[in-house]
Amino acid sequence: MIVMSDSTTETDIKEYLPKMFTEAIKSNEISRKNSGIFKGKYVWTTEELIKIFLEEKYGFHAKVEDFKDSKSRGDKKISQVVRNLVSHQKNLEQNYSGFKLTKRVEQATFEFVESVKFKWRPLVENSNLSRNTIIFGAPGTGKSYKIAKKLEEIDKNRYERVTFYRDYTYSQFVGTYKPIADDGEITYGFVPGPFLRILVKALKSGMSSKPESYYLIIEEINRADAASVFGDVFQLLDRNEYGESEYHINISNDVKKYLMMEFGGKLEDYSELKIPNNMFIWATMNSADQGVFPMDTAFKRRWNFEYLGVDDNEFFIDEKGKKLESQSCTFVVNGEAIEWNVFRRALNAKLSSENIGVNEDKLLGPFFIKVSGLDKVDIIDVICDKVIMYLFDDAVKTRRKLFFSGCSEENINRYSMVCSEFKKKGLDVFGKEFKKEYYDIQKRKRDMAMGTVEGEL
């Protein structure tokens, strides 16, 4: 699969086409016809010209009949260009060294080549969606869940998921030459990474009569040095108005050989590479995590960022049209029933209060813990192991005394003792005022959001 620049296309038209036609005539590869668009010793039909051009130059195999009805190919421009070529047949002159194209036919041929390039740019139903998207937000907001919902009705063969981590590299992401076990013997070969695997699938689909979209899902994109992992692929992230890469990159011989194995042709056919418009790259990012890699501005501006607020996925609508909580569970501490989602809301309200002043990206989303399948005893341990630990070690690390204001002063800097006091005191470990000023108010707000109560606070 070759992706041409404008200059390459012009060269193809002015130099390669006449040479190719002449060589095809000499080798008798083009059948002799009594009618066609060219006059001279040998002539051929428009459909044959198109077919030969695609096969000879780009390895795009198709039947002649495929080009007779433009509607069957989904590209109306092809039929218009064919008509242009036919109407300008008298302007094509023949000599013994090749065919000289007049200006009118040259322009028509150029339009045809451009239309073929457009045809290879597969237009999918959701072509208006962003090709490069990073979904970010506070922990537990449902970033991975949102992507999973989008992929529910998509065949698993059409997407690949990878998780970035500190030591993740370009070789793992794109591909590298490595030893391979083959029937007990060790050989060496190029092993593609998730980026190249899904790109090849997208290209193959794009060359079919029914192109489909393909997806590369990157979890925790900022846990690795993303700019380093992408390497020269970074250049491909700029997409044009059609959704394909604006610019190409030159590729290594290892990648060339891999593409030649997948698509056929010659090694020199694969000097350049772009991302097709039916390939989507979606990623998740939690900017609140400690120890993550910052992204530089040049890398970030090539992505569309979609923010998920802490309450964006708080509810869902069931099959009967009823509004329900995405995570719903009630547990009892110190004789008091506590609802998980209201508890989460109350914690966020105190974290956001003026005297605590925690940033929004450190608040808790509804999926911070998964409560389904947990009994009332287990969930208390989970809250200590995950929620209290997160608050203690991260969100309020420098404000523990203010946040755990109901905890005895001698225990305020001891995580195990804070958990112990939570199991005894319940909501009071966050202060005597916590239930009235935060929990009760958030419970009413939750009920109003669900439509179970009316009125004002």
Side-chain angles (χ1 to χ4, degrees):
M1 177 79 173
I2 285 184
V3 179
M4 301 180 296
S5 66
D6 290 341
S7 60
T8 305
T9 302
E10 187 174 350
T11 302
D12 287 341
I13 294 170
K14 292 182 177 179
E15 297 179 8
Y16 188 83
L17 272 172
K19 180 180 177 182
M20 184 190 72
F21 292 159
T22 304
E23 291 177 350
I25 290 176
K26 290 179 179 178
S27 61
N28 204 30
E29 291 178 4
I30 300 176
S31 59
R32 305 179 184 185
K33 299 287 182 179
N34 293 324
S35 62
I37 65 169
F38 297 111
K39 294 181 178 180
K41 186 174 181 181
Y42 301 112
V43 293
W44 54 91
T45 65
T46 302
E47 290 79 17
E48 285 178 312
L49 183 153
I50 299 171
K51 182 175 183 293
I52 290 168
F53 177 79
L54 294 177
E55 289 181 348
E56 290 287 322
K57 183 61 179 172
Y58 302 108
F60 185 96
H61 298 287
K63 297 178 181 179
V64 170
E65 299 83 67
D66 292 339
F67 299 94
K68 291 184 177 179
D69 182 3
S70 64
K71 293 182 180 180
S72 66
R73 302 294 298 174
D75 191 343
K76 295 181 179 179
K77 196 171 183 181
I78 286 183
S79 63
Q80 179 60 49
V81 174
V82 168
R83 286 195 294 272
N84 288 346
L85 286 169
V86 174
S87 64
H88 299 319
Q89 58 179 299
K90 64 178 66 176
N91 295 315
L92 192 67
E93 300 172 357
Q94 180 185 10
N95 63 21
Y96 293 102
S97 61
F99 290 101
K100 295 180 180 179
L101 301 177
T102 64
K103 288 295 181 181
R104 296 176 68 188
V105 175
E106 182 179 74
Q107 180 59 34
T109 308
F110 180 83
E111 290 176 4
F112 168 69
V113 174
E114 288 299 300
S115 72
V116 171
K117 287 174 64 181
F118 185 84
K119 178 57 195 168
W120 285 353
R121 188 181 295 127
L123 301 178
V124 293
E125 292 180 2
N126 51 358
S127 59
N128 291 326
L129 292 178
S130 171
R131 262 60 181 189
N132 310 327
T133 299
I134 293 178
I135 301 175
F136 72 108
T141 49
K143 299 178 286 292
S144 298
Y145 173 78
K146 182 168 185 175
I147 290 178
K149 293 295 289 183
K150 290 182 177 182
L151 298 176
E152 275 184 346
E153 298 181 359
I154 296 176
D155 189 280
K156 291 182 178 180
N157 184 56
R158 288 171 50 202
Y159 65 86
E160 188 158 345
R161 192 184 301 270
V162 60
T163 301
F164 279 12
Y165 53 89
R166 179 173 291 274
D167 296 324
Y168 197 71
T169 64
Y170 174 88
S171 296
Q172 292 169 288
F173 184 58
V174 177
T176 188
Y177 204 77
K178 61 173 62 176
I180 305 170
D182 185 13
D183 292 334
E185 295 184 2
I186 301 298
T187 60
Y188 287 83
F190 181 81
V191 179
F195 173 81
L196 204 52
R197 287 197 297 267
I198 206 71
L199 184 142
V200 166
K201 287 181 179 180
L203 284 174
K204 288 182 176 179
S205 176
M207 294 170 71
S208 69
S209 58
K210 294 182 179 180
E212 295 179 300
S213 52
Y214 282 74
Y215 305 85
L216 177 61
I217 310 301
I218 304 174
E219 298 283 4
E220 309 289 354
I221 190 171
N222 60 333
R223 286 191 174 275
D225 185 350
S228 177
V229 171
F230 273 77
D232 56 353
V233 171
F234 163 87
Q235 183 76 9
L236 304 182
L237 295 178
D238 273 320
R239 308 280 191 123
N240 61 22
E241 60 183 306
Y242 303 107
E244 71 177 10
S245 295
E246 184 78 36
Y247 311 105
H248 69 266
I249 61 171
N250 296 320
I251 53 180
S252 66
N253 280 336
D254 289 335
V255 177
K256 289 179 184 179
K257 290 176 182 177
Y258 171 69
L259 295 176
M260 186 176 67
M261 182 180 67
E262 292 291 332
F263 295 100
K266 301 176 182 178
L267 196 65
E268 55 267 26
D269 294 337
Y270 301 94
S271 59
E272 300 173 359
L273 188 68
K274 287 185 179 182
I275 298 176
N277 87 331
N278 63 330
M279 178 174 167
F280 294 75
I281 306 176
W282 292 344
T284 65
M285 182 177 79
N286 185 355
S287 58
D289 281 347
Q290 298 180 21
V292 299
F293 288 85
M295 289 183 181
D296 60 72
T297 302
F299 187 82
K300 289 169 67 175
R301 72 178 181 81
R302 286 165 167 80
W303 297 80
N304 289 301
F305 283 80
E306 182 178 333
Y307 179 72
L308 283 186
V310 290
D311 297 325
D312 284 356
N313 288 318
E314 180 181 14
F315 306 112
F316 73 98
I317 307 298
D318 69 4
E319 297 176 352
K320 297 180 180 180
K322 187 177 180 180
K323 197 175 197 178
L324 300 175
E325 289 177 308
S326 299
Q327 294 276 292
S328 178
C329 181
T330 301
F331 55 98
V332 179
V333 183
N334 191 27
E336 184 174 28
I338 302 173
E339 296 182 63
W340 156 248
N341 192 37
V342 178
F343 177 55
R344 175 193 68 85
R345 276 172 158 259
L347 291 176
N348 287 341
K350 184 167 185 178
L351 287 169
S352 304
S353 63
E354 187 175 352
N355 61 327
I356 304 294
V358 168
N359 292 332
E360 185 178 359
D361 61 0
K362 287 190 177 293
L363 302 184
L364 284 71
F367 298 96
F368 191 91
I369 61 173
K370 293 183 179 180
V371 300
S372 58
L374 296 175
D375 60 33
K376 296 180 180 180
V377 177
D378 290 338
I379 193 171
I380 297 173
D381 290 333
V382 170
I383 287 175
C384 286
D385 294 342
K386 295 188 177 182
V387 178
I388 302 297
M389 178 180 283
Y390 168 70
L391 295 170
F392 186 89
D393 285 341
D394 193 341
V396 295
K397 188 175 183 177
T398 60
R399 305 175 181 87
R400 292 170 184 166
K401 190 173 182 179
L402 289 172
F403 193 77
F404 299 108
S405 55
C407 186
S408 56
E409 191 169 345
E410 64 269 20
N411 293 331
I412 200 69
N413 289 317
R414 298 173 62 186
Y415 163 69
S416 61
M417 297 308 297
V418 173
C419 289
S420 179
E421 292 205 28
F422 171 72
K423 291 179 179 180
K424 293 176 182 178
K425 299 178 180 180
L427 297 178
D428 287 347
V429 79
F430 305 104
K432 289 293 184 181
E433 81 292 345
F434 185 78
K435 183 177 187 306
K436 181 179 180 181
E437 294 183 10
Y438 295 104
Y439 186 88
D440 290 347
I441 290 176
Q442 291 302 317
K443 184 175 181 179
R444 182 163 180 80
K445 284 186 175 181
R446 187 280 313 269
D447 293 342
M448 292 172 62
M450 292 185 69
T452 56
V453 298
E454 297 180 355
E456 298 180 356
L457 290 174

